[in-house]
Amino acid sequence: MNQYLAITSRGLENLLATELEELGVINPQVVQAGVKFSAEDELLYRCCLWSRIASRFVLILSEFHVRDDMDLYLGASAINWTNYFDSNTTFVVDFNGTNQEIRNSQYGALKVKDAIVDRFTKSGLERPSISKENPGLRVHMRLSGEKGLLGFDMVGSGLHQRGYRTEAGRAPLRETLAAALVMRSGWTIDKDLLDPMCGSGTILIEAAMIAAKIAPGVKRNYWCFESLKGFDVDVWNEVRTEASVQSRRGTKKVNAKFFGFDNDQRSIKIARDNARRAGVEDLIQFDTGDAAKLSRPEGFETGVIICNPPYGERLSSNPALIALHTEFGHRLKSEFGGSTASIYSSDDELLSCLRMRAEKQYKLNNGALPCVQKNYQISTRSAEERADADKAVAPDFANRLKKNIAKISKWARKEGIECFRVYDADLPEYNAAIDFYKGQIVIQEYAAPKTIEEDTARRRIMEIVRATVQVTGVDTNDVILKVRQRQKGSSQYQKLGEGSHYVEVSEYDVTLLVNLQDYLDTGLFLDHRITRKNLGNMAAGKDFLNLFAYTGSATVHAACGGAKSTLTVDMSRTYLEWAQKNMKLNGMTGSQHQFLQADCLQWLQRANDQYDLIFVDPPTFSNSKRMEQTFDVQRDHIMLFENLKRTLRGNGEIVFSNNKRNFKMDFEALEALNLVAVNISSKTLPLDFARNKHIHNCWVITHNMEA
């Protein structure tokens, strides 16, 4: 009788021990990420063939103390390797773990390999060859601190490779993990099973194989134990034949029904192909379907709903997930009373959107990603209880949003604009801004005050997303969530991610590009809309200068308004290229329209040309490393006007705007420059920003002709 180590994922050790006992193992010993046990050849073969959650089985040859590479070499050398395989058998060493002296697994594998081949050559035998691609045997070395375990991997490629999945869908689960989820879901072979987000079908296929008593290893073509001396081919053939016969007959004895849905047709096709290769295609009904619109399928009375919903690395990466989990939870409660649900996810916050209380939960990583499986009992509810569940999320916020949309949308259509704000922290507890962009919605969460607990802030932003989807009926994929925080860095505009998500939108008589996903800001400051329109009306026949130009939307309005020439200046190449695209989109090309990448403050100090109309919208504060000096609009606006005055023609106008709350114009210093400022802020405030009188301030500055 030999000693073996069955290896599995952390958190599954006890489940694996139970499985091995059911296969005939006596007194299995649970260890970290595995189970040790003793077995004769027949039982070992049976465990390899039938275990659904072990990743591999290791024949333990030796356990020894390893402080350094010499201990490792001597421990490996003490094994008489020639008793186990011949020189013509290829092998490879898999080394797992490190300690203070052996810090590199490749080096550890090399020392074990040296010990093995030296044992052959010292016995006067030809040294065996190494094959990393297709070895006959895999030597397994596990090092944990100063404890070493050395043996043969009896399996070869991991046991999760069942042979039925040649192509996977998005973010597939390993077959061993899927089987473990089924085992812990509360499902038994007499219950129907439904996966509403089945992807490539792995969970359902594993469950169907359990119900049909199909050995998970029955389709494997090769096992490493076949290359060992002492391999009992007769016993192995008997075990394998028994499994093959049982697998062929098992599907006819299954009474449970299996249902799989996914909104991706390609995934459904892959799932069907996988089920066919696994031999369970007749047991599972796959079809396209949206989990957010899930209803009880015909033939499903009560049973288990199990799934691994999509989840993002961060909540803000995909607000559609909030809406999906919310609506999915609602569908479970309204359609599947009396059933149970088992949901596997890495995101507890998303699971909280289900608004269900878990009866059991299990921590279980998906690879290196910490995850949890939660089991829920779905109660049967009365019509009154279902009606209560259908009530709007965050009703005060939802009602305010409805009223705002009705009023502002009508105004926007009359104005000929496709981008507008419908909510701006109207209710203090729901601290966010909500903007419409041609059918898409951007929700910008403002940083919560320090007095608000983080959990409360997160719950409220989830309610905002869920209520917004409920009120508007917009597709969840058309909702973008951004978290706006006080920036510690150098830039006014924060990059969020890589990509190219541009959308064309109309604003009065011009077309502009916005990017709703890649940046914290979208490329269009909605509160400056009237200012841009005014610039278009003022620009006919004039030379126009746009400083701190961002994406050049003001330049587009001026050019379309008949400006004789335009110069667009910004420090960012990205935004200048964006500005050029905006101009080209409106047919404004030619040498009269120039673009300059430069530090606006430094450029102004050297500028010699003069302009009839200047628009300047500087940041409130900037300490960009690319600028030679910091800039504070309150402190430095007079310095800015000293340089602007030189570039402004005698009858020219400067339109100066900024977003500093409580900005104070230094009229005395301005008068000393022979400049006059008129505050036009109230005239540039559009209806959708009427609540926020301090969203920006705007001034027209001219030469004092009376001086």
Side-chain angles (χ1 to χ4, degrees):
M1 188 173 290
N2 294 316
Q3 288 290 115
Y4 294 96
L5 171 66
I7 299 173
T8 190
S9 301
R10 291 186 181 182
L12 292 180
E13 297 93 342
N14 290 322
L15 191 63
L16 176 57
T18 300
E19 181 189 54
L20 293 177
E21 284 181 318
E22 292 173 353
L23 290 171
V25 171
I26 299 174
N27 296 325
Q29 178 187 355
V30 171
V31 296
Q32 184 173 308
V35 176
K36 287 183 177 180
F37 65 99
S38 300
E40 301 288 355
D41 288 348
E42 180 183 357
L43 180 55
L44 183 275
Y45 298 156
R46 195 174 300 278
C47 290
C48 287
L49 197 61
W50 283 95
S51 177
R52 301 183 188 278
I53 56 176
S55 58
R56 61 188 67 250
F57 287 87
V58 175
L59 169 61
I60 302 173
L61 300 179
S62 178
E63 293 184 79
F64 53 96
H65 196 68
V66 181
R67 287 170 298 184
D68 53 27
D69 56 355
M70 182 56 69
D71 285 342
L72 178 62
Y73 178 83
L74 292 174
S77 298
I79 298 170
N80 191 352
W81 298 96
T82 61
N83 287 342
Y84 295 98
F85 68 102
D86 295 322
S87 298
N88 59 0
T89 302
T90 60
F91 77 98
V92 71
V93 178
D94 297 320
F95 194 98
N96 299 287
T98 59
N99 63 18
Q100 289 186 344
E101 296 297 325
I102 302 173
R103 301 182 181 182
N104 185 288
S105 59
Q106 289 183 337
Y107 177 69
L110 178 64
K111 300 304 290 184
V112 174
K113 183 269 296 180
D114 289 344
I116 294 172
V117 297
D118 288 350
R119 186 69 189 235
F120 273 83
T121 56
K122 288 177 181 178
S123 299
L125 300 172
E126 184 178 345
R127 61 178 286 167
S129 299
I130 304 297
S131 174
K132 293 183 179 180
E133 299 299 324
N134 192 28
L137 284 173
R138 304 192 77 94
V139 175
H140 181 90
M141 177 69 203
R142 173 180 286 201
L143 181 61
S144 177
E146 295 186 353
K147 295 180 180 179
L149 183 149
L150 184 57
F152 284 114
D153 180 349
M154 305 298 279
V155 175
S157 58
L159 284 174
H160 69 280
Q161 297 180 20
R162 316 283 208 223
Y164 65 76
R165 194 168 73 179
T166 59
E167 188 178 5
R170 300 159 302 190
L173 294 173
R174 279 195 168 191
E175 292 86 336
T176 45
L177 175 57
L181 296 178
V182 171
M183 293 178 184
R184 280 184 166 169
S185 68
W187 175 80
T188 54
I189 60 173
D190 58 335
K191 296 179 180 178
D192 293 345
L193 188 66
L194 185 155
D195 185 345
M197 297 175 244
C198 67
S200 55
T202 309
I203 290 176
L204 288 170
I205 292 170
E206 289 296 319
M209 290 174 68
I210 293 172
K213 297 183 180 178
I214 297 175
V218 74
K219 290 186 178 294
R220 291 176 67 95
N221 294 320
Y222 179 75
W223 302 79
C224 278
F225 56 66
E226 296 179 75
S227 293
L228 288 173
K229 291 180 178 180
F231 166 57
D232 194 329
V233 64
D234 293 333
V235 171
W236 168 237
N237 285 337
E238 183 179 337
V239 171
R240 186 167 57 177
T241 299
E242 177 190 331
S244 297
V245 171
Q246 195 165 341
S247 296
R248 287 195 298 270
R249 295 175 178 174
T251 55
K252 299 176 183 178
K253 300 179 181 179
V254 176
N255 294 318
K257 302 182 186 71
F258 300 86
F259 302 86
F261 298 95
D262 200 279
N263 58 9
D264 180 21
Q265 288 185 345
R266 177 178 174 273
S267 292
I268 291 297
K269 182 182 182 304
I270 293 172
R272 287 176 178 150
D273 290 342
N274 289 342
R276 175 179 49 78
R277 283 186 289 267
V280 294
E281 71 271 28
D282 294 334
L283 300 181
I284 309 174
Q285 178 182 318
F286 287 111
D287 210 343
T288 53
D290 186 350
K293 301 174 183 177
L294 181 67
S295 59
R296 187 190 300 264
E298 185 178 350
F300 185 102
E301 296 302 325
T302 59
V304 176
I305 298 93
I306 182 172
C307 65
N308 170 220
Y311 39 79
E313 291 183 5
R314 55 181 185 182
L315 185 61
S316 60
S317 66
N318 194 347
L321 296 180
I322 299 174
L324 170 63
H325 283 71
T326 300
E327 190 57 27
F328 178 48
H330 169 67
R331 303 303 294 185
L332 289 176
K333 289 177 282 188
S334 64
E335 294 284 332
F336 295 93
S339 294
T340 58
S342 184
I343 317 297
Y344 181 65
S345 177
S346 72
D347 198 323
D348 244 347
E349 290 179 343
L350 286 176
L351 290 180
S352 71
C353 292
L354 297 172
R355 302 177 77 180
M356 298 167 66
R357 185 182 297 277
E359 289 191 336
K360 291 183 179 180
Q361 64 180 40
Y362 306 95
K363 291 183 179 179
L364 179 59
N365 284 12
N366 185 358
L369 185 65
C371 294
V372 63
Q373 180 181 14
K374 292 191 175 185
N375 293 348
Y376 307 87
Q377 183 65 46
I378 307 171
S379 61
T380 303
R381 299 185 299 170
S382 65
E384 183 179 345
E385 289 172 325
R386 289 197 297 271
D388 287 340
D390 287 335
K391 289 181 180 178
V393 177
D396 291 343
F397 166 79
N399 289 335
R400 176 61 66 92
L401 185 60
K402 284 180 185 177
K403 292 178 181 178
N404 288 359
I405 291 173
K407 176 182 177 182
I408 296 172
S409 296
K410 183 178 180 181
W411 163 81
R413 285 193 296 271
K414 289 182 179 179
E415 290 288 305
I417 56 178
E418 293 181 319
C419 309
F420 48 91
R421 180 157 293 183
V422 294
Y423 179 89
D424 196 358
D426 297 32
L427 305 177
E429 60 269 34
Y430 294 104
N431 194 26
I434 302 177
D435 298 325
F436 277 27
Y437 283 86
K438 196 179 180 179
Q440 297 189 67
I441 297 176
V442 175
I443 301 175
Q444 300 182 57
E445 180 195 23
Y446 297 128
K450 293 182 179 179
T451 54
I452 302 297
E453 293 185 4
E454 184 177 350
D455 288 346
T456 301
R458 300 293 275 177
R459 176 178 54 79
R460 286 175 178 171
I461 193 62
M462 284 184 179
E463 290 178 353
I464 288 173
V465 173
R466 289 154 52 194
T468 300
V469 171
Q470 278 189 352
V471 168
T472 63
V474 70
D475 189 293
T476 54
N477 293 314
D478 290 327
V479 180
I480 296 94
L481 173 64
K482 301 180 180 182
V483 180
R484 183 181 293 273
Q485 298 174 323
R486 186 179 300 276
Q487 296 301 306
K488 297 180 180 179
S490 60
S491 177
Q492 180 187 11
Y493 317 116
Q494 181 188 6
K495 185 77 178 288
L496 291 182
E498 298 300 328
S500 182
H501 305 93
Y502 290 96
V503 178
E504 292 182 16
V505 296
S506 295
E507 180 180 271
Y508 300 117
D509 296 323
V510 307
T511 303
L512 299 168
L513 289 173
V514 294
N515 187 317
L516 307 183
Q517 298 188 36
D518 295 336
Y519 301 87
L520 186 60
D521 291 299
T522 65
L524 189 64
F525 295 132
L526 302 184
D527 61 301
H528 289 306
R529 187 187 308 113
I530 293 177
T531 303
R532 291 190 290 271
K533 181 182 179 183
N534 291 343
L535 288 168
N537 295 333
M538 299 164 65
K542 296 180 179 179
D543 293 316
F544 175 73
L545 171 64
N546 186 2
L547 292 172
F548 304 98
Y550 192 31
T551 60
S553 53
T555 305
V556 175
H557 277 274
C560 291
K564 183 169 63 175
S565 71
T566 66
L567 176 61
T568 303
V569 186
D570 197 276
M571 192 162 54
S572 166
R573 180 183 299 276
T574 298
Y575 293 129
L576 278 179
E577 291 175 353
W578 196 334
Q580 289 174 290
K581 291 177 183 177
N582 276 334
M583 288 286 278
K584 186 177 181 180
L585 195 60
N586 291 272
M588 296 297 153
T589 58
S591 59
Q592 72 273 30
H593 300 298
Q594 298 291 314
F595 302 86
L596 178 64
Q597 183 183 3
D599 176 340
C600 292
L601 298 177
Q602 295 300 313
W603 178 82
L604 261 180
Q605 292 175 3
R606 302 187 298 269
N608 295 316
D609 293 333
Q610 290 193 318
Y611 303 87
D612 304 295
L613 180 61
I614 300 173
F615 177 56
V616 54
D617 180 27
T620 299
F621 179 81
S622 180
N623 63 346
S624 171
K625 293 178 181 178
R626 291 180 293 172
M627 294 176 62
E628 295 186 12
Q629 62 199 86
T630 63
F631 177 81
D632 183 298
V633 70
Q634 183 63 67
R635 180 192 69 196
D636 299 323
H637 69 281
I638 294 300
M639 176 270 290
L640 179 64
F641 290 133
E642 288 176 356
N643 291 308
L644 285 170
K645 176 184 176 182
R646 191 178 66 259
T647 61
L648 184 67
R649 290 195 176 118
N651 59 348
E653 295 174 292
I654 300 171
V655 177
F656 167 64
S657 180
N658 69 75
N659 292 81
K660 180 175 177 60
R661 184 176 290 271
N662 299 321
F663 172 81
K664 291 185 172 64
M665 182 70 76
D666 190 339
F667 289 104
E668 290 186 7
L670 206 62
E671 184 178 356
L673 293 175
N674 287 324
L675 295 175
V676 177
V678 177
N679 190 340
I680 62 168
S681 301
S682 61
K683 298 178 181 179
T684 62
L685 197 66
L687 175 67
D688 48 338
F689 288 88
R691 285 190 68 259
N692 191 349
K693 305 295 184 184
H694 303 289
I695 186 69
H696 70 244
N697 57 87
C698 192
W699 309 75
V700 174
I701 297 168
T702 58
H703 290 289
N704 186 354
M705 297 302 185
E706 298 178 359

